[in-house]
Amino acid sequence: MTTAADRTIVTAFEDNDGKPLGHGRMLRKEDPRFVRGRGRYVDDVQLPGMLHLAILRSPMAHARITSVDTSLAEAHPNVRLVVTGAMLAEKGLAWMPTLSNDVQAVLATDKVRFQGQEVAFVVAEDRYAARDALELIDVEYEPLDPVVDVRTALSPSAPVIRDDLEGKTDNHCFDWETGDAESTDAVFAKADVVVSEDIVYPRVHPAPMETCGAVADYDAVDGKLTLWSTTQAPHAHRTLYAIVAGLPEHKIRVIAPDIGGGFGNKVPIYPGYVCAIVGSLLTGKPVKWMEDRSENLISTGFARDYIMRGEIAATSDGRILGIRTNVLADHGAFNGTAAPVKYPAGFFGVFTGSYDIEAAYCKMTAVYTNKAPGGVAYACSFRITEAVYLVERIVDCLAYQLQMDPVELRMKNFIKPEQFPYETKTGWVYDSGDYAPTMRLAKELAGYDELRAEQAEKRKRGELMGIGVAFFTEAVGAGPRKDMDILGLGMADGCELRVHPTGKAVVRLSVQTQGQGHETTFAQIVAEEIGIPPQDIEVVHGDTDQTPFGLGTYGSRSTPVSGAAAALVARKVRDKARLIASAMLEVSVADLEWSKGVFHVAGDPSASVTIQDIAMRAHGAGDLPEGVEGGLEAQICYNPENLTYPHGAYICVVDIDPGTAKVKVRRFVAVDDCGTRINPMIIEGQVHGGLTDGVGMALMEMISFDEDGNCLSGSLMDYLIPTALEVPDWETGFTVTPSPHHPIGAKGVGESATVGSPPAVVNAVVDALKPFGIRHADMPLTPSRVWEAMKGRPTPPI
Amino acid sequence: DVVTGVGINVNGRKYGLEVEPRTLLSDALRDGCGLTGTHVGCEHGVCGACTVLIEGRPVRSCLMLAVQADGQDVTTVEGLAGADGLNPLQEAFRAEHGLQCGFCTPGILVTLTAHLADHPDATEAELRHAVSGNLCRCTGYQNVIAAAVRAARSASAR
């Protein structure tokens, strides 16, 4: 719970008062520019002669393109360039690889495969003229039947969406399985109780406040392309552009400036980026592309869209024996899922959750439909949102069946602290965890027993109050390069640290903040290790010419991977500083002790040198010890040995108006354990944001389609995002179970709340509806759908 | 295209701009005045990232034409800080961690500036209502409200 003490501002880090330790509540370095309107986001970039690009999009979900007439658009006085799919095809650029080794059309050539798909683009003198010219392009379409309902996509009569793929005669995308079918079946056969439930995680959208965009600037004289773009993975993008566009990689500079939120939406490469590059190559001018909200919602990476059959087997006294699931995954028209290559279903394999069970099995089928590509986004940690929703919902269904308290059922089945590192039945090795104290703290903060008593009272009066519990284990920090790569790029991260002669420092990261506070927290990590105050450490990120290679920020991987790299690179610099200190103090290295930025002679604290003294000596006149080069800097590429597995216990309290079926989230208690906490203030903010996502998904958000494949959620009028009125004051708490393999014991946390909160909210709503005999209801639990639930059971949201 | 001359007083300075009648005020401020703190998050008046003050009243600059602002006083986020540093509202946002990516922040600061000017003693519940027309994807609003409360208290303490 937030206490007054937590709100106390610690300014010690800001005034250099001799307390250089890094970890703790430090105010953000980013804020002074943002609160003045002095951030620099992509659309703020203005370059001499810059032109503007707009994209013509398909009004249809599935249609053959019979002709494209651009003559009127080309005649527009302010238009410089009009490009169609056919023109790109001539240059071999009409298709690009996706992050899942599929291909995606940059501009449609043969046919369109989802509403909002890119068909042509215009480059004009200004944004208004570019949009005008879109109206002047005449495209003739021959409509085809669309595949909208994923459950019919594999029927023999379904139209084939991907006839661009050689020999493709159906809409099958991939099959995937994990766990052991035979042993799981055996466990189910011997169980006292088996509960089965169809559970849908509907299609939603990350909808960052800033949409996607880019400014491409190709300089024909030196042959160099500079691309400002809304990318969470600037280095990976650079490499992919080199492969796609055929430009040499050292002549591509990707700059991710300030980004107005990413939430996984800004991991993939979108056709718009490629169009901007093509536009600049062809015009020789800088070209800006900035999509509008509708384009963002209908064409960029969606999230979720898993239809899951969840099954759980248990003894009659509540010992969970096994979990089995069958998943139908809707991947849209192109498989653009951002996931490590060997993990087409991401990390869905962690669906066994926080429980010690005997067997587990999952079989998944992914299919193409006439919808936008995506799947992995919106703080999902590579499909863990779906995995945790499945297990936490099906465990609640079991509790309902056994008439057991949902907290008690969970506590009874937790993996025990002494079992870590714990290998799950699907092969994931959880690093550490002590689940019961986390659950108990959440119960205590919520006043769980009192809440149940209050609920019993209210039920007697016919009032609808629900208490929802969710306990999750996350898996973040992809990942060990032997297993994990994105299109062949190993998921390690670089870090460089350079200490200047006067003892100030610059640290260069391969990851890319989109609001998570890296400029502050990475300075804290380095400060803690090397004793230079964080305000004396500048954090550089997002510019591929200036930072070491790495895979970027998503999957809550910054702290696990890049944070480890930052700590280790600082230790490497400290090791060198120790050699220099031994020369300065004329003692052997073994006689030196380190404390907060100072080396001193053991037993004689007065004989000491500071890291600042050492930095000057490293760059100054005079000899350095044998074998020590001048300067004080180091670099590293960190390859994590495992993921980190943070956990959390969430309790949600809802009230439902029996007359309108409107759900009000009255309270929400979130206890998170992400190991060592670098900056509690920032963690709390991450959790608040993620909990709001969770309430949004559970109660309001959904990308839906009509039977013709029209996207019905193409604006913020229809795609509902929580405002300050839909969310309560969050109550947060924490426990600390460090990751044993991480250099500072820290685990990732950014996505935990988004992963853990939807099941807590849904469990609370279903709990409130218990008097109506409801065991399950699908998201989003809007008033109309809750009303349906009160009348029987709501229809699935597809 | 027809171009019209307009004079808009932004943050106490007069800008003479040549705009089309259809030019949105948000574009005029960002491109014409070079004041890029005002952001565009939806262009249909829902998100509130483009909120500016016209004659002290909060307005969606994406739903207003630049020509309509001719001769009017406009305040954008760039006009909030004093010569000697951040104003109490801006300080409060930093102190309470009321922002993350910073994209919604200018619109929220401007909205609260108007609200606190009219309601210096606003309660927490009133402040929640006051920012309910501004979407934020990062903060979950709680620290935004905490910052607003802190600013209200620091104003009433003076």
Side-chain angles (χ1 to χ4, degrees), chain A residues 28 41 127-128 722 724 730, chain B residues 27 90 100-101 128 141-142:
Chain A
R28 294 206 322 162
Y41 303 87
R127 204 162 66 88
Y128 288 63
W730 309 109
Chain B
D27 288 331
Q90 292 168 311
Q100 293 182 29
C101 80
R128 216 170 245 283
Y141 302 105
Q142 182 158 324

Side-chain angles (χ1 to χ4, degrees), chain A residues 697-768:
Chain A
M697 281 180 274
L699 301 183
M700 307 159 72
E701 300 179 26
M702 182 173 167
I703 297 283
S704 56
F705 297 85
D706 70 11
E707 60 189 12
D708 295 323
N710 293 308
C711 180
L712 303 178
S713 322
S715 83
L716 296 180
M717 309 296 285
D718 307 294
Y719 192 75
L720 303 180
I721 291 169
T723 74
L725 297 179
E726 277 79 41
V727 294
D729 256 342
W730 309 109
E731 302 168 55
T732 58
F734 66 94
T735 52
V736 177
T737 312
S739 172
H741 66 78
H742 189 276
I744 61 172
K747 303 182 181 185
V749 70
E751 295 167 315
S752 285
T754 311
V755 164
S757 56
V761 179
V762 174
N763 288 349
V765 173
V766 173
D767 184 53

Side-chain angles (χ1 to χ4, degrees), chain A residues 99-115:
Chain A
L99 297 177
S100 298
N101 270 330
D102 192 359
V103 291
Q104 173 176 0
V106 176
L107 294 179
T109 50
D110 52 340
K111 65 180 194 178
V112 290
R113 293 174 171 86
F114 67 93
Q115 187 188 53

Side-chain angles (χ1 to χ4, degrees), chain A residues 198-222:
Chain A
D198 286 331
I199 295 170
V200 177
Y201 209 136
R203 179 176 285 230
V204 290
H205 197 282
M209 291 307 301
E210 177 203 35
T211 58
C212 299
V215 177
D217 183 17
Y218 179 69
D219 184 329
V221 175
D222 58 16

Side-chain angles (χ1 to χ4, degrees), chain A residues 44 75 138 153 216 322 346 447 521 565 575:
Chain A
D44 302 343
D138 189 17
T521 53
D575 287 344

